[in-house]
Amino acid sequence: MLRSKNAAVWLLALFLIGIFCAIWSGVADSAVTPNKPVKERIAAGGFHTVAIKSDGTLWASGRNHYGQLGDGSKIHKYAPVQIGTDNKWVSIAAGGEQTIALKSDGTLWAWGNNNNGALGDGTNASKNTPTKIGT
């Protein structure tokens, strides 16, 4: 039973990654190299996927129990939705139930499950929108 659950989780994660790759077909080059700007970024969490498009906007889809998509809700999204209107996102990382991102001004932002202070904002309250971390 446990093996079949793990297999299902991996298949779901690969499915979500495939959806993003199909939508943004030019995402193959996400490596950071000197003198070459990053065009797009994708990060896959436990059950959610987030992406930065070449215009700097942030998009997400998948499970959203703790607000890890960042759209202000806790409703699962089966297709990518834009997160806010900002176009200054440059880097993202996705955990099991959290998302952390960096803006071009150097500020760090986090949202999702904040049990045990996982987001680093000094609280244990979960956030369902990007929340600035520190100064």
Side-chain angles (χ1 to χ4, degrees), residues 37-82:
V38 174
K39 293 183 180 179
E40 292 96 7
R41 291 265 194 205
I42 294 178
F47 294 94
H48 71 293
T49 306
V50 290
I52 299 172
K53 289 180 66 174
S54 59
D55 63 2
T57 57
L58 185 64
W59 296 74
S61 69
R63 190 167 104 173
N64 199 22
H65 282 306
Y66 299 96
Q68 61 264 46
L69 299 183
D71 69 342
S73 79
K74 292 186 179 181
I75 300 169
H76 307 322
K77 302 297 187 288
Y78 300 101
V81 294
Q82 186 172 352

Side-chain angles (χ1 to χ4, degrees), residues 22-129:
I23 292 171
W24 291 291
S25 60
V27 176
D29 183 17
S30 63
V32 178
T33 56
N35 303 319
K36 186 175 181 183
V38 174
K39 293 183 180 179
E40 292 96 7
R41 291 265 194 205
I42 294 178
F47 294 94
H48 71 293
T49 306
V50 290
I52 299 172
K53 289 180 66 174
S54 59
D55 63 2
T57 57
L58 185 64
W59 296 74
S61 69
R63 190 167 104 173
N64 199 22
H65 282 306
Y66 299 96
Q68 61 264 46
L69 299 183
D71 69 342
S73 79
K74 292 186 179 181
I75 300 169
H76 307 322
K77 302 297 187 288
Y78 300 101
V81 294
Q82 186 172 352
I83 307 305
T85 58
D86 201 347
N87 65 349
K88 307 282 188 217
W89 301 103
V90 295
S91 185
I92 51 173
E97 299 166 336
Q98 302 86 8
T99 304
I100 298 176
L102 187 67
K103 286 188 179 180
S104 58
D105 63 3
T107 56
L108 183 65
W109 298 74
W111 56 99
N113 189 350
N114 199 18
N115 286 343
N116 302 310
L119 300 181
D121 68 345
T123 75
N124 65 353
S126 297
K127 310 291 189 288
N128 63 10
T129 58

